């Protein structure tokens, strides 16, 4: 009998899981639930905010591509999950039964600092990025200090670095840099920590980069409040300080959305409501429930004075999606083999004209190796990757054989590996 | 009626103002007052101290060049200014009236630490540099520890770094380095701060350079006393420590000389007697008085635990001179346009065989960009620049059109820019 | 009358002294006493522990080469020295009179931390290295955390760095790195200190290298105990902490062996029983006794919060041996000239595929210059040097003329230099 897999979420994680499932096994019915009618290439949202991309450049309507791929698409919000009954309810009250459930909703954004939701720009959704573009244009009309950074508990620091560098580049281009100071304020204990205790020489690289571009920084602090023209933070000694700011972009914390909480405490992690998963990204209590992408719970790698979380990059998410697909198909076939993502990752920060890239295998220590590269070609590589990824989304194949071949043979990295014992958290 | 501009000072600032004025407008009478009968290329004074240049290599007698340029030269000390009467008195009692006054005296040297005047070498004047050469030869005859650095309140750190590196180079050449330890002792909070919070990666670059050349350093301290064979300093915790030294060269503080103080408290800044100026280097109280060069008051860029000041490099001074000349001519013509120097700057430290250069646009943050280069060619570039500058001094044209073209087109730097609002201090 | 020189020790120091003496003067009788029947190339012991070399690759039996060189060989332990009677007794009770005595025994290893002798691997002797190989194979069968480093008072840090990097390389090669964390724990105040206050930019270089290879580190601590699966250390604030470890390799302290102590307090330094020597490596009390190699006492270069000592590299030891030979021959000839080693040194850390080398002239500050190089060719250069050195040992000539020529002309380094005044300790 054909099994029914329900995927909640139409981002990198959800789409990659659906495409991988379709590719591996023809005999599966797949339904994808997403309230957003389009796939958005998240890594390009900062570019949207700078006006370097248009909305239509970096999004793909989900309807046509999913229908072509043979995936049913329900363009509604998933509102409730009952993992005992194996059912999902959507915003319209529709009830959908499943054999397997993949939760790939992405995060709920938690703008925890006081006044942050109103006064801080955001690049976490396409809509936020579009609004940020307006704020940035306003800054350019009336220049003043800029603050970019991350509040306590943030796990995703990369875009904050990238955005600070992009703002610098755009202001130089417009001849306004002279009138704008840029300060990076973060919960990381040092520059380049990235929630990972650094990646190779990332500390030195980011310190040098910020020094060359005259971006000042304040590390190891808790941003407490974002006001219209001021960012208030507290240092480790408990002193409250502030920075003037006419344009603020602080990364929010990520948490599990309400639909995960509705699945109960065996699915939603008590710490932040993300999906509890084992090394194979399967829920330990409900073997037919998977968590994929930012919504999967990975414990912090490094204990930091101000709390930080572990980032999940696009490539890590692709690995999770691939492992989930492999594991579901193996389970359907009654096989015992299970797969875990290697969590190797390539992270690129685009600075407008040049880029800086980190290739870590794996992201979470102990690492086998780390490489970093900087240059104009890195900027072009990121742009090329964006076009390639969107092409894959439209084509309905997220991991073409030639990509697999190149990644394994040249980079000697694998997306997934057989897993002997799935128990324990993914680290 | 032909206006009379009086320039006090025959260094880079004074000479550049006079030459610029002559170039822009033929219809101005210019008088230059200087007690020194020659122009000296200050950046080469360390070379004089090392015996790498002779006095005549880096000086130009002022009489002939000024007479050829059509500038009257009074080889006397300017002793008193009355900005209300628009008059200057010289050491011989001569009274000179002016329509515009440009104060470009250079600094009064303040050897503030106890015993510093007798026991510390200096490279701030050609005479000091010549005496320092004798001290250095004595060191070579009887080698022992060397201390180079800067006392609290110093604004000009570059020559201290350069001198430490030169001493290293010369001692290696003479086969004496093995018997001489070199220690850099400074009021800067860290190596490469330079009174500017660093220039790009200057901290890392200087730390690496000193490490490679085995120059030890002590930062964030107040030198209290210079004895014949010892330098005494106090750290931030108030502990008094000392370093043995057979040859000491510490940069002194700079202040405004007596002639500025004689102009009263609307001209002389209460902090250090330097000339109070606005962004266009015009005195806010007396619109016909300008301050150019080291004697112009620029507030500290960075609050440091031990006080430091903002350096004024040769290129910054050229910009001030150019802005002053443009503003005086605009005022004479009754035009409203005013110019401010961009304060972009190229600073090169020559180490004898190779050099390290910083190009900052502008010097004072927020900066648009910063570049740094190191190598043998930088040493040669500095030597070439010295010859070129002295040629310009002799030729009477301080900013030839082709130089302007090259600087603006290739480096995309401007010496001066139109200023909308001259109010406020130059930062 | 032919003078009799007795050399205790058959390592780099003892062998180089004997060979140098034979080369300089035919008319000397030389006896070498060593309980070890072979010469071992100490710098390759880490390679032995990794299984990259066999015992026979890096050792040379002493009997044949010494007999060919015309040196008498007594394969016994030297047990007692009486410097007043000018006699040495061996383990068999044999009594040997000497005109000159060269003590080049190498160090006694002091595994001072509790449980260190049983639970820490060692690479200080060929036998230890062979045992370490077994321990390492056990780790590979059952992977877990690795701790490498140095206890307080260690003077020889280089091999610890090299070993940490080798373990990383070998684990990557075997596909096990992912399951093994590597932590470097040291008494040095910072990474790359090396007991020398750093060599050039060694701090930055080692920090970058460890960051790239994901080797974590703990500096400025005292290792107190090595347990079977744990390393316990104390930080500067007196807090006791520990690290899990399945494989521990900590460098021991070096001290003078019993035979030096038997020579009395004018020969054995009160601090650690090493041989008291002047700048020419002659004992100040007994002019016919010399200390060469690790057993010669050199005071610490740098006062560190946790005690560290001054390393003695192979090239430094070759210099000492050469100076001792020159001085003995000069003394025999009744000449006043004396020689001191320059203590210039090349140190290379081999990481398996690439190497990092430091060339310091001299090792002990103030230094004339320092160079560092990294790359694949450095790995090959070290391998080539090993083959070359073993060839020299077999050939009986430790400093061929072409080597002397190359070192002096190309590197501008000398092994020894004339010494005006031998008094004082060698620094």
């Amino acid at each position: 009998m054909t099994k029914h897999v329900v995927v909640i979420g139409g981002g990198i994680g959800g789409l990659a899981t659906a495409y991988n499932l379709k590719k591996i096994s023809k005999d599966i019915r797949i339904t994808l639930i997403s309230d957003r009618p389009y796939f958005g290439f998240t890594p390009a949202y900062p570019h949207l905010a700078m006006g370097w991309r248009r909305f239509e450049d970096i999004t793909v309507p989900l309807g046509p591509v999913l229908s072509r791929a043979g995936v049913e698409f329900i363009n509604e919000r998933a509102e409730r999950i009952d993992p005992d009954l194996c059912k999902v309810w959507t915003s319209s009250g529709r009830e959908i039964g499943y054999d397997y459930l993949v939760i790939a909703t992405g995060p709920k954004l938690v703008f925890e600092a006081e006044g942050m939701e109103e006064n801080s720009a955001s690049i976490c959704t396409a809509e936020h990025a579009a609004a940020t573009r307006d704020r940035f244009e306003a800054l350019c009309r009336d220049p003043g200090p800029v603050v970019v950074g991350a509040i306590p508990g943030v796990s995703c620091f990369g875009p904050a670095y990238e955005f600070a560098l992009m703002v610098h580049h755009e202001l130089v281009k417009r001849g306004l840099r002279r009138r704008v100071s840029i300060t990076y304020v973060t919960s990381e204990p040092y520059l380049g920590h990235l929630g990972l205790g650094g990646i190779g020489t990332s500390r030195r690289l980011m310190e040098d980069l910020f020094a060359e571009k005259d971006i000042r920084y304040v590390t190891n602090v808790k941003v407490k409040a974002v006001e219209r023209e001021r960012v208030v933070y507290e240092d480790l000694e408990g002193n409250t300080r502030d920075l003037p700011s006419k344009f603020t972009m602080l990364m929010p914390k990520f948490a599990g959305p309400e639909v995960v909480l509705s699945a109960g405490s065996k699915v939603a992690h008590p710490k932040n409501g993300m999906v509890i998963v084992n090394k194979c990204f399967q829920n330990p209590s409900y073997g037919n429930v998977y968590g994929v992408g930012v919504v999967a719970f990975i414990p912090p790698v490094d204990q930091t004075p101000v709390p930080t979380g572990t980032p999940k990059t696009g490539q890590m998410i692709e690995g999770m999606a691939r492992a989930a697909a492999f594991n579901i198909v193996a389970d359907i076939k009654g096989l015992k083999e299970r797969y875990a993502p290697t969590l190797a990752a390539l992270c690129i920060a685009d600075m407008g004209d040049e880029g800086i890239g980190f290739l870590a295998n794996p992201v979470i220590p102990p690492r086998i190796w780390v490489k970093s590269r900087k240059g104009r070609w890195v900027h072009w590589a990121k742009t090329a990757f964006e076009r390639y990824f969107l092409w894959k989304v439209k084509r309905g194949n997220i991991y073409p054989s030639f990509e697999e071949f190149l990644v394994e043979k040249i980079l000697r990295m694998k997306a997934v590996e057989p897993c002997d014992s799935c128990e324990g958290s993914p680290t």
Side-chain angles (χ1 to χ4, degrees), chain A:
Chain A
M1 206 195 77
T2 300
K3 296 290 185 183
H4 185 207
V5 181
V6 169
V7 176
I8 310 179
I12 295 179
L15 217 56
T17 309
Y19 284 4
N20 273 312
L21 280 168
K22 269 289 162 194
K23 194 181 176 188
I24 305 167
S25 167
K26 297 295 154 205
D27 191 29
I28 299 178
R29 185 185 148 214
I30 306 171
T31 303
L32 190 147
I33 307 173
S34 167
D35 58 340
R36 249 177 22 196
Y38 60 87
F39 165 82
F41 187 69
T42 331
Y45 290 171
H47 300 71
L48 201 58
M50 286 291 105
W52 301 350
R53 297 284 189 287
R54 289 165 308 165
F55 181 81
E56 56 269 33
D57 291 337
I58 57 167
T59 56
V60 179
L62 281 174
V65 294
L66 287 177
S67 119
R68 211 178 315 138
V71 175
E72 287 166 54
F73 177 40
I74 300 176
N75 187 192
E76 291 184 33
R77 175 191 303 272
E79 295 230 308
R80 194 156 72 79
I81 296 166
D82 188 319
D84 293 309
L85 298 177
C86 294
K87 283 188 181 164
V88 177
W89 288 267
T90 67
S91 42
S92 71
R94 198 163 154 185
E95 174 185 311
I96 302 134
Y98 64 80
D99 295 305
Y100 296 91
L101 177 68
V102 178
I103 307 175
T105 53
K108 183 173 87 171
L109 307 175
V110 186
F111 297 93
E112 207 168 48
E114 202 189 312
M116 185 177 170
E117 197 146 13
E118 312 87 68
N119 298 319
S120 169
S122 161
I123 48 172
C124 292
T125 71
E127 291 72 22
H128 288 174
T132 296
R133 187 174 176 185
D134 295 337
R135 280 181 197 256
F136 183 72
E137 291 300 331
L139 171 78
C140 289
R141 283 189 298 274
D142 181 19
V146 164
V147 172
V148 174
I151 66 169
V154 160
S155 55
C156 184
F157 295 95
Y161 284 96
E162 190 174 37
F163 195 68
L165 292 161
M166 283 179 162
V167 166
H168 163 81
H169 180 72
E170 187 64 25
L171 290 171
V172 168
K173 225 168 64 183
R174 298 195 189 195
L176 296 169
R177 184 63 174 89
R178 186 70 191 90
R179 295 158 70 189
V180 178
S181 67
I182 305 179
T183 310
Y184 182 84
V185 178
T186 185
S187 48
E188 295 157 284
Y190 50 81
L191 212 65
H193 180 279
L194 295 160
L196 284 167
I199 303 181
T201 54
S202 55
R203 178 178 188 163
R204 191 146 297 165
L205 283 167
M206 295 314 301
E207 283 178 1
D208 280 1
L209 211 51
F210 275 24
E212 280 160 13
K213 299 189 186 289
D214 198 27
I215 300 173
R216 306 278 151 154
Y217 48 93
V218 182
T219 57
N220 235 345
V221 296
K222 302 173 203 178
V223 169
K224 288 289 184 189
V226 185
E227 300 174 3
R228 262 176 59 84
E229 304 226 327
R230 204 167 71 119
V231 171
V232 183
Y233 64 86
E234 193 184 288
D235 67 20
L236 285 187
E237 286 74 40
N239 305 309
T240 299
R241 302 188 188 280
D242 60 28
L243 281 165
S245 179
K246 275 208 159 170
F247 177 90
T248 304
M249 196 298 284
L250 294 169
M251 289 301 289
K253 274 172 70 171
F254 290 168
E258 280 68 22
V259 70
V260 178
L261 296 174
S262 76
S265 64
K266 290 181 192 160
V267 172
H269 197 281
K271 196 180 157 195
N272 57 12
M274 290 190 177
V275 180
I276 302 167
V277 291
N278 62 18
K279 286 179 182 168
C280 296
F281 287 81
Q282 183 185 36
N283 181 262
S285 309
Y286 300 98
N288 63 339
V289 174
Y290 287 80
V292 162
V294 176
V295 80
F297 181 78
I298 297 184
V301 165
D302 199 21
Q303 291 296 329
T304 50
V306 180
T308 58
T310 306
K312 292 150 198 160
T313 67
Q315 210 172 5
M316 290 165 81
I317 295 171
E318 283 191 74
M320 297 177 204
R322 196 160 171 81
F326 276 19
N327 292 333
I328 289 169
V329 171
D331 199 61
I332 291 173
K333 292 187 181 162
L335 301 173
K336 282 238 160 130
E337 59 187 48
R338 288 294 176 274
Y339 294 86
T342 54
L343 303 180
L346 173 66
C347 340
I348 298 182
D350 186 5
M351 315 173 210
D353 52 350
E354 56 173 6
I356 183 161
F358 298 97
L359 193 55
N361 181 18
V363 166
I364 296 159
R367 297 185 190 117
I368 302 166
W369 49 256
V370 169
K371 290 184 202 300
S372 59
R373 293 289 181 275
K374 199 181 138 213
R376 246 157 227 281
W377 68 272
V378 178
H379 162 69
W380 291 113
K382 177 154 189 179
T383 308
F385 180 73
E386 176 187 319
R387 307 319 307 165
Y388 170 65
F389 198 90
L390 290 165
W391 172 81
K392 291 197 298 185
V393 166
K394 287 175 197 157
R395 199 166 154 276
N397 184 355
I398 213 70
Y399 203 49
S401 320
F402 67 86
E403 179 180 336
E404 189 176 343
F405 177 84
L406 288 173
V407 167
E408 293 195 4
K409 295 299 166 193
I410 299 188
L411 299 182
R412 293 196 206 163
M413 283 165 42
K414 285 186 177 177
V416 296
E417 274 185 339
C419 184
D420 301 330
S421 146
C422 308
E423 260 174 67
S425 59
T427 47

